[in-house]
């Protein structure tokens, strides 16, 4: 298992696992649940940037993004932040679905799979 690396492992889950040059991030949610969808999206994407950098990658290497919204009325607001964040010409495959998130204050959760640099 020396080729498997976990970042920030906890009792329940790790923030990321790296295996064979692929990075799997845990679902990222906002720390500040009082923010609107644009604020929460920006906070989550900053977390994604930081974890990818720690794992030896960046947002241009995202293989797949899965986005969970508590309310589909937030779709356009989330996309405004996403569109400004994703690199031109490097938009990854993406799924966006409505989901009941674990805490009522969370409006968005994002799961990322990426390739290492």
């Amino acid at each position: 298992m020396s080729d498997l690396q976990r970042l920030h492992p906890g009792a329940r889950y790790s923030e990321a696992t790296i295996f064979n040059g692929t990075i799997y991030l845990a679902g990222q949610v906002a720390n500040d649940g009082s923010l609107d969808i644009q604020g929460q999206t920006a906070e989550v994407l900053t977390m994604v940037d930081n974890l990818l950098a720690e794992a030896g990658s960046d947002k241009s290497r995202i293989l797949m993004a899965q986005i969970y919204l508590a309310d589909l009325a937030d779709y356009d607001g989330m996309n405004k932040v996403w569109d400004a964040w994703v690199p031109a010409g490097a938009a990854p495959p993406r799924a966006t679905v409505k989901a009941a998130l674990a805490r009522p204050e969370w409006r968005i959760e994002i799961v990322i799979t990426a390739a290492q640099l």
Side-chain angles (χ1 to χ4, degrees):
M1 295 235 318
S2 62
D3 59 344
L4 188 142
Q5 179 185 1
R6 297 190 194 283
L7 302 180
H8 309 285
R12 183 165 291 150
Y13 66 92
S14 297
E15 287 295 334
T17 298
I18 305 165
F19 183 71
N20 284 342
T22 303
I23 305 160
Y24 304 89
L25 299 188
Q28 301 299 302
V29 294
N31 289 320
D32 186 351
S34 70
L35 296 172
D36 65 8
I37 188 58
Q38 290 184 1
Q40 286 196 26
T41 302
E43 185 177 359
V44 168
L45 293 175
T46 296
M47 294 172 174
V48 167
D49 281 333
N50 293 339
L51 281 168
L52 289 176
E54 184 177 353
S57 190
D58 64 40
K59 61 189 169 188
S60 72
R61 307 278 295 165
I62 294 174
L63 301 171
M64 178 66 182
Q66 299 170 18
I67 301 174
Y68 303 94
L69 294 175
D71 185 343
L72 288 179
D74 286 337
Y75 185 75
D76 290 337
M78 177 274 299
N79 273 327
K80 286 179 186 175
V81 178
W82 174 270
D83 291 346
W85 176 80
V86 74
R94 187 183 99 173
T96 305
V97 298
K98 179 180 178 178
L101 301 181
R103 293 192 179 165
E105 66 270 22
W106 289 340
R107 305 187 68 80
I108 186 168
E109 183 167 355
I110 300 178
V111 178
I112 296 289
T113 304
Q116 283 186 306
L117 294 172

